[in-house]
């Protein structure tokens, strides 16, 4: 099971159009993904994308922490920001293993814009963040 996860938080600069664009790119360039999930607090009707309600009202990009909540996915999961554009073959993203891209603005630091993990490997992030 391979799942691509994205987050659409209301009140920001993104809307369902961005989810549709990302999903279209994934279907075209990364068909190895079985499922596309969008964690959101907004209504969403995008073909091929499963809407999952956000449980917390965390501000802005902090809502991405919900991608790590226990039981959300099984198998390989990839968190992908809505402003990501797939321009060529990307099935390698669905390969098993822990990976994260380097932050474009802060060299040597990890970015949450594109991250991959297995099963419950990173559940502790959501659990610790929720505990405050």
């Amino acid at each position: 099971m391979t799942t691509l996860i994205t987050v659409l938080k209301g009140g920001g600069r993104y809307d369902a159009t961005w989810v549709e664009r990302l999903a279209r790119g994934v279907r075209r360039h990364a068909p190895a993904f079985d499922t596309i999930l969008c964690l959101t607090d907004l209504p969403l009707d995008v073909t091929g994308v499963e809407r999952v309600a956000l449980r917390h009202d965390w501000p802005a990009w902090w809502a991405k922490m919900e991608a790590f909540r226990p039981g959300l996915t099984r198998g390989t999961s990839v968190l992908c920001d809505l402003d990501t554009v797939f321009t060529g073959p990307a099935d390698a993203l669905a390969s098993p293993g822990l990976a994260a891209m380097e932050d474009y603005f802060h060299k040597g630091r990890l970015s949450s814009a594109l991250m991959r993990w297995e099963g419950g490997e990173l559940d502790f992030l959501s659990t610790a963040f929720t505990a405050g």
Side-chain angles (χ1 to χ4, degrees), residues 15-16 39 41 53 55 75 85 97 109 123 126:
D15 60 22
L39 295 165
D41 56 356
R55 293 182 180 169
V85 178
R109 293 186 183 178
D123 287 359
S126 175

Side-chain angles (χ1 to χ4, degrees), residues 5 7 9 14-15 19 24 28 31 34 38-39 49 53 57 63 79 101-103 114 117 130-131:
I5 305 166
V7 180
K9 174 74 175 165
Y14 299 103
D15 60 22
V19 177
R24 197 170 43 241
R28 183 179 306 128
D34 302 308
C38 180
L39 295 165
V49 177
D57 190 29
L79 175 61
M101 68 179 273
E102 182 178 36
D103 191 297
L114 192 63
W117 67 95
T130 302

Side-chain angles (χ1 to χ4, degrees), residues 10-11 21-23 32 42 47 54 58 66 79 85 91 103 105 126 128:
R21 288 177 186 151
L22 178 62
L42 300 171
T47 302
L54 289 168
W58 293 328
E66 290 203 41
L79 175 61
V85 178
D91 272 344
D103 191 297
F105 299 103
S126 175

Side-chain angles (χ1 to χ4, degrees), residues 1-3 26-27 29-35 76 90-95:
M1 179 77 148
T2 55
T3 305
V26 170
R27 287 190 296 269
H29 297 295
F33 284 97
D34 302 308
T35 306
T76 303
D91 272 344
L93 288 173
S95 300

